[in-house]
Amino acid sequence: MTHDITYTTKTKQLIDSLKSVCANYGLGNDGNEFKIITQVFLYKFLNDKFRFEVKRLKPELADNKEFYQNLKNLYEKEDGQYELLMDLLDENVPQLKPHQLISHLYNNQNSEDFAKTFDDTLRDISTENASVFSIKSFSGAKDKLFDELSNYITDSSQKDDFCKALINKLFEFSFEESFEDYFTEKYDFFKDIFEYLVKDYNSDSGGKYAEYYTPNAVARIIADILVQGDVKKVRCYDPSVGSGSLLMSLAHNIGEDRCTIYSEDISQKSSTMLRLNLILNNLTHSIPNVIKTNTIAQPYYLEKQKFDYIVSNPPFKLDFSDFREDLDTDRFKERFFAGIPNVPKAKKESMAIYLLFIQHIMHSLNDTGKAAIVVPTGFITAQSGIEKKIRERLIDNGWLRGVVSMPSNIFASTGTNVSVIFIDKQAGQEKIVLMDASKLGETVKEGKNQRTVLTKGEEEKIVNTFSNKEAVLDLSVVVNADEIKSKNYSFSAGQYFEVKIEYVDITAEEFANKMEGFEVKLDALFKEGNKLDAEIQKQLKGLKYE
């Protein structure tokens, strides 16, 4: 725990120092600040990861003060030893050259045209490690790991100083606290970075980055319920991946070396965030499976792959009218079996795109596949339409494992009540768990917003109750398919709770005494009422017109 606190503190210090550099050069709260900080942070992380692995493979290089010079000497020998060392590195580790290290740039920061040297270094790292670290689009085109960061400075006279300032902050951090101590531990680096960094860009109840983040509690609950027993060599997929928090929790529960991550998302920002997440969580081997595409209109994996596990917090409402007609064709009929939402006359942005994602997920599971999908709670009780057709398919096929309705405001970015649907192709039609966890959690204030936070104990209660298929008063019911059909395929736990009237045993004499007491009280009340009626009549008669 002490290590975790130290790491968190140091991480925040590094991010704050990089923000300070951006602010000093006119980029504070600029649209490019986020890119600069995340990319520079990644460059630092890859440097330390490389240093850690090289020193592990070749302990004689381990002296921190002499590491750069020792590595440089090895690189300059033409005996093939450096190339052999690079071949021995794990695939999650970048292959760097001595002149690409922070130490080299720090030592040469006073050279002419330093900004170009800085940009060239990052570009070369991107090019030489593209096969592992690049993200490809639907068309197959690959992106860059790093941008030319000096180009974000419009005043050319400041470019050198800006790049020097960034390198100095990274070099200072190397001596204060390196990431190296944490590479041997299973620690979620990304969580602290993302929560701390993104909150500054998350104005207006979520803002532009809110779409990328699923609360840790929801991600943990989903992973703990989905992953049961010893799991090996499985394919995990998210068709609307965002930053990947759901996939990271799933991979941690399964084991990073026991699963392969696949993902699709239309957003370049989210693809970049996911890449950072995969690198920081020792899942670099899955970066080639990160696809930037429109999952609904141009699904990359639809005909290529079925999946063992699927998790998703899809966008609920979005205007997809531009390509809606393309979906209503024979090619997609099987995938969108329940139908495609119509274009409303007003508020096109309210189109229920999440209904397409649910159908896409059901289509993408293999014969033993399992899935968890975050949906607006209204989906579980809709009386007709696409929503009901989807629920009917889940029940009639025996695919519904259960539903958990979450507390209000568990997402900081939206007040929409949400539920999580758990699908299991082998669930059957008996012992379906419906849970109403809406009364759990503690309300905390975050700036102007309020959010509900589940305690660790409440998380465990949800997971254990669901996994053990327990019926708990006012929390959960265990039902079968026929019972759900009788309720018009409703997945709401509240509609199955029994109405209980508390009572106590009393004798006939006690009952008679109670009734006598009630009669006396009523008689007194009636008499008092008669007196009030008489007084009112008297007062009315005394009224005069003047």
Side-chain angles (χ1 to χ4, degrees):
M1 180 62 71
T2 302
H3 284 311
D4 290 356
I5 294 172
T6 301
Y7 168 76
T8 301
T9 301
K10 291 296 184 180
T11 299
K12 291 179 179 180
Q13 287 175 0
L14 175 58
I15 291 173
D16 284 341
S17 68
L18 296 174
K19 286 182 180 179
S20 176
V21 172
C22 289
N24 290 339
Y25 287 88
L27 294 170
N29 294 320
D30 182 272
N32 296 313
E33 182 188 26
F34 184 82
K35 296 179 184 178
I36 294 167
I37 292 173
T38 52
Q39 289 189 36
V40 172
F41 188 97
L42 178 58
Y43 175 50
K44 164 64 182 167
F45 184 87
L46 293 179
N47 259 259
D48 286 356
K49 180 90 169 174
F50 174 80
R51 287 162 56 97
F52 174 79
E53 292 296 338
V54 166
K55 287 190 283 188
R56 185 178 63 82
L57 292 171
K58 213 167 180 62
E60 60 267 32
L61 300 177
D63 187 337
N64 273 332
K65 293 182 179 179
E66 301 296 333
F67 175 79
Y68 166 69
Q69 189 59 50
N70 291 340
L71 189 71
K72 185 171 180 285
N73 292 340
L74 184 66
Y75 177 74
E76 290 175 349
K77 291 180 181 179
E78 297 183 1
D79 57 2
Q81 289 299 306
Y82 194 87
E83 289 74 15
L84 178 61
L85 178 62
M86 294 300 101
D87 289 340
L88 293 174
L89 289 175
D90 183 85
E91 64 179 346
N92 289 299
V93 182
Q95 295 192 12
L96 304 181
K97 297 181 175 68
H99 63 269
Q100 294 169 341
L101 298 181
I102 292 170
S103 299
H104 177 82
L105 292 178
Y106 176 81
N107 292 334
N108 291 275
Q109 62 180 289
N110 293 322
S111 61
E112 187 178 352
D113 204 1
F114 179 71
K116 183 177 185 305
T117 300
F118 181 80
D119 288 338
D120 287 349
T121 298
L122 296 186
R123 186 188 63 246
D124 290 345
I125 293 172
S126 294
T127 302
E128 293 164 12
N129 293 274
S131 61
V132 175
F133 292 97
S134 286
I135 296 168
K136 62 184 176 183
S137 65
F138 178 82
S139 66
K142 291 187 175 183
D143 76 340
K144 297 181 296 183
L145 186 60
F146 298 110
D147 295 324
E148 294 181 353
L149 299 183
S150 72
N151 286 341
Y152 294 123
I153 301 294
T154 55
D155 184 347
S156 59
S157 68
Q158 291 187 320
K159 289 187 176 185
D160 284 352
D161 289 338
F162 173 67
C163 294
K164 289 178 186 179
L166 293 176
I167 282 297
N168 282 321
K169 293 299 183 185
L170 298 184
F171 188 76
E172 290 168 8
F173 189 81
S174 293
F175 283 97
E176 291 177 0
E177 180 67 42
S178 170
F179 297 113
E180 294 180 12
D181 292 339
Y182 301 91
F183 292 139
T184 56
E185 300 181 21
K186 192 171 184 177
Y187 186 83
D188 190 354
F189 291 90
F190 188 81
K191 178 174 66 66
D192 289 317
I193 302 163
F194 190 84
E195 287 186 347
Y196 187 65
L197 181 57
V198 169
K199 69 183 178 65
D200 287 347
Y201 307 92
N202 239 354
S203 59
D204 299 323
S205 300
K208 58 186 177 182
Y209 290 104
E211 68 211 78
Y212 304 135
Y213 187 60
T214 302
N216 288 320
V218 176
R220 283 192 296 265
I221 289 169
I222 285 174
D224 289 344
I225 288 176
L226 277 184
V227 182
Q228 302 287 321
D230 191 32
V231 178
K232 296 179 182 178
K233 294 183 179 179
V234 292
R235 295 178 294 272
C236 304
Y237 170 62
D238 189 334
S240 55
V241 70
S243 68
S245 56
L246 286 173
L247 280 176
M248 294 309 104
S249 289
L250 189 64
H252 287 328
N253 275 26
I254 294 170
E256 292 83 354
D257 58 343
R258 295 183 169 207
C259 64
T260 304
I261 300 297
Y262 298 81
S263 71
E264 295 174 277
D265 200 294
I266 197 170
S267 168
Q268 179 62 52
K269 289 192 188 78
S270 80
S271 297
T272 302
M273 294 297 290
L274 176 60
R275 172 170 53 198
L276 178 59
N277 211 346
L278 292 171
I279 292 170
L280 299 186
N281 282 283
N282 209 33
L283 285 158
T284 304
H285 62 275
S286 290
I287 289 178
N289 304 324
V290 177
I291 306 298
K292 189 187 93 61
T293 189
N294 181 333
T295 308
I296 300 302
Q298 293 181 308
Y300 183 83
Y301 289 113
L302 187 65
E303 307 299 335
K304 295 180 176 69
Q305 192 70 266
K306 297 287 186 179
F307 300 98
D308 301 287
Y309 290 92
I310 302 178
V311 287
S312 183
N313 175 20
F316 291 172
K317 306 288 185 181
L318 201 67
D319 178 9
F320 61 92
S321 58
D322 287 348
F323 58 88
R324 187 204 176 279
E325 297 308 313
D326 297 334
L327 304 177
D328 200 7
T329 60
D330 290 340
R331 181 190 171 202
F332 292 129
K333 275 275 191 329
E334 183 180 357
R335 183 167 59 139
F336 300 128
F337 65 90
I340 301 166
N342 292 320
V343 181
K345 293 180 180 179
K347 291 187 177 181
K348 289 183 181 180
E349 66 275 10
S350 68
M351 295 178 72
I353 195 169
Y354 80 95
L355 295 173
L356 300 180
F357 277 99
I358 297 175
Q359 295 175 79
H360 172 81
I361 289 167
M362 292 168 66
H363 184 79
S364 300
L365 284 169
N366 63 23
D367 291 340
T368 59
K370 300 173 177 62
I373 314 167
V374 180
V375 300
T377 293
F379 166 82
I380 68 177
T381 56
Q383 296 295 295
S384 60
I386 297 173
E387 295 91 335
K388 188 183 176 189
K389 289 179 181 178
I390 293 173
R391 298 200 313 268
E392 288 174 347
R393 173 71 65 92
L394 291 173
I395 293 301
D396 295 344
N397 285 2
W399 292 355
L400 183 68
R401 185 177 168 197
V403 177
V404 177
S405 294
M406 292 291 178
S408 300
N409 298 317
I410 196 164
F411 283 73
S413 57
T414 176
T416 303
N417 292 334
V418 302
S419 296
V420 182
I421 297 174
F422 290 90
I423 299 172
D424 184 340
K425 284 285 196 77
Q426 298 180 313
Q429 297 190 327
E430 302 294 329
K431 295 188 176 181
I432 300 165
V433 181
L434 304 179
M435 184 180 299
D436 180 3
S438 62
K439 297 181 180 65
L440 302 181
E442 302 170 352
T443 300
V444 297
K445 195 165 185 179
E446 295 183 348
K448 297 179 182 178
N449 302 319
Q450 285 190 334
R451 184 156 73 98
T452 303
V453 177
L454 292 168
T455 65
K456 288 289 186 183
E458 288 172 328
E459 286 183 38
E460 291 175 3
K461 184 176 184 180
I462 291 172
V463 172
N464 292 336
T465 301
F466 193 99
S467 300
N468 296 331
K469 298 182 178 180
E470 295 176 346
V472 177
L473 183 63
D474 293 333
L475 177 65
S476 63
V477 293
V478 182
V479 296
N480 59 40
D482 288 337
E483 290 175 274
I484 290 178
K485 290 176 185 178
S486 71
K487 297 284 188 181
N488 201 29
Y489 291 88
S490 172
F491 291 175
S492 174
Q495 294 191 23
Y496 299 85
F497 288 155
E498 292 183 14
V499 177
K500 295 183 181 293
I501 301 175
E502 293 186 6
Y503 67 93
V504 293
D505 292 326
I506 59 175
T507 64
E509 184 179 354
E510 289 172 331
F511 177 77
N513 290 336
K514 282 184 176 290
M515 292 302 296
E516 184 179 350
F518 290 150
E519 289 173 2
V520 171
K521 287 181 181 179
L522 281 172
D523 186 54
L525 289 171
F526 285 142
K527 287 180 180 178
E528 183 66 23
N530 291 334
K531 287 182 181 179
L532 288 172
D533 288 342
E535 182 63 26
I536 290 170
Q537 292 288 342
K538 180 180 177 183
Q539 293 295 332
L540 287 172
K541 289 178 181 178
L543 292 175
K544 295 181 179 179
Y545 176 77
E546 295 182 2

